[in-house]
């Protein structure tokens, strides 16, 4: 997330078919090559004429977009947010997870704040399925490492609230419509099989 202008579309850490059968290869390919790449293009276009922000990292742009000139604020909010959230989403999944449930300090913290892993799953799935229209559901940590679940519309991130993303699921229709049509909850149920708990633990303890 320390990359800055000009942004590039980073390759996925796995082939398009790696998440199958839970997320099919066509969905992954379109999601990355079409949707994510459009956020890169739009973000670069918005920043091209504003060289004073070319050193800002992706995370800074997504967190502090309100400090930018009014004319590019919305574009940066949507597209730096879009690029940032998709990097978290794709890098937070694996087709061959080593652990089926949270590990390490994160595992203990989830039990502490949610009572059990199963209850955390219920809370997060509910947040994901009840987010109206397009958005994201997040497991986040505050500066005291306290955990909570929230959802955001569009490509908004929890960064402006001073929260650190740990686990995130994309609930835009483009993330699941080919495989699951309108059944967002079936996609969310399947997505749990792909969460990389090693990555989540690394984000929490970072
Ligand atoms: Mn998406």
């Amino acid at each position: 997330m320390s990359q800055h202008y000009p942004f590039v579309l980073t390759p996925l850490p796995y082939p398009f078919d790696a998440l199958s059968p839970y997320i099919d290869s066509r969905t992954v390919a379109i999601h990355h090559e079409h949707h994510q790449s459009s956020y890169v293009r739009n973000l670069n276009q918005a920043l091209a004429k504003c060289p004073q922000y070319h050193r800002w990292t992706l995370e800074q742009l997504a967190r502090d977009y309100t400090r930018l000139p009014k004319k590019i604020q919305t574009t940066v909010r949507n597209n730096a947010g879009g690029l940032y959230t998709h990097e978290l989403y794709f890098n937070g999944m694996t087709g061959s997870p080593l652990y089926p449930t949270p590990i390490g300090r994160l595992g203990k913290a989830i039990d502490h704040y949610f009572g059990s892993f199963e209850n955390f799953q219920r809370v997060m799935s509910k947040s994901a399925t009840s987010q109206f229209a397009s958005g994201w559901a997040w497991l986040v940590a505050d500066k005291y490492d306290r955990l909570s679940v929230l959802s955001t519309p569009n490509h908004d991130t929890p960064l402006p609230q001073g929260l650190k993303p740990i686990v995130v699921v994309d609930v835009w229709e483009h993330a699941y419509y080919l495989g699951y049509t309108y059944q967002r909850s079936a996609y969310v149920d399947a997505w749990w099989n792909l969460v990389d708990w090693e990555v989540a633990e690394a984000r929490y303890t970072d």
Side-chain angles (χ1 to χ4, degrees):
M1 301 301 181
S2 56
Q3 52 168 307
H4 54 76
Y5 180 92
F7 293 94
V8 294
L9 181 65
T10 48
L12 290 179
Y14 39 71
F16 294 142
D17 63 359
L19 306 180
S20 146
Y22 303 112
I23 304 178
D24 66 279
S25 63
R26 190 153 169 256
T27 295
V28 176
I30 294 171
H31 203 168
H32 184 259
E33 306 296 292
H34 172 72
H35 295 287
Q36 191 173 345
S37 101
S38 74
Y39 308 135
V40 173
R41 199 168 51 245
N42 295 340
L43 181 58
N44 285 335
Q45 226 163 47
L47 291 172
K49 287 185 184 152
C50 302
Q52 65 272 41
Y53 303 108
H54 287 184
R55 303 294 305 168
W56 279 35
T57 64
L58 185 57
E59 192 168 321
Q60 268 179 302
L61 290 165
R63 188 183 55 228
D64 296 329
Y65 62 85
T66 54
R67 291 171 51 197
L68 300 170
K70 274 266 183 295
K71 61 176 182 184
I72 61 167
Q73 264 184 32
T74 303
T75 307
V76 172
R77 176 184 190 167
N78 290 336
N79 292 280
L83 184 54
Y84 177 82
T85 48
H86 282 86
E87 296 227 339
L88 285 176
Y89 170 70
F90 282 123
N91 290 314
M93 291 188 289
T94 170
S96 43
L98 276 183
Y99 303 96
T101 55
I103 57 168
R105 277 185 50 205
L106 179 63
K108 290 194 183 76
I110 283 176
D111 286 344
H112 178 77
Y113 289 104
F114 297 95
S116 66
F117 173 58
E118 291 70 26
N119 193 52
F120 157 66
Q121 279 188 303
R122 268 193 294 277
V123 172
M124 179 108 178
S125 291
K126 180 146 193 274
S127 181
T129 51
S130 56
Q131 166 61 36
F132 179 72
S134 297
W136 299 79
W138 308 78
L139 172 67
V140 295
D142 69 9
K143 63 179 177 179
Y144 304 109
D145 288 344
R146 293 180 298 206
L147 295 176
S148 57
V149 163
L150 56 87
S151 66
T152 57
N154 307 314
H155 287 326
D156 286 353
T157 77
L159 295 175
Q161 302 173 54
L163 299 168
K164 179 166 74 169
I166 312 294
V167 176
V168 64
V169 58
D170 188 344
V171 296
W172 283 55
E173 284 184 347
H174 69 223
Y176 61 85
Y177 215 84
L178 290 178
Y180 297 93
T181 64
Y182 54 84
Q183 298 174 86
R184 185 190 287 181
S185 64
Y187 152 73
V188 173
D189 287 347
W191 164 82
W192 284 110
N193 293 288
L194 300 170
V195 179
D196 189 332
W197 293 110
E198 284 184 297
V199 169
E201 167 72 354
R203 287 176 186 164
Y204 185 60
T205 55
D206 179 33

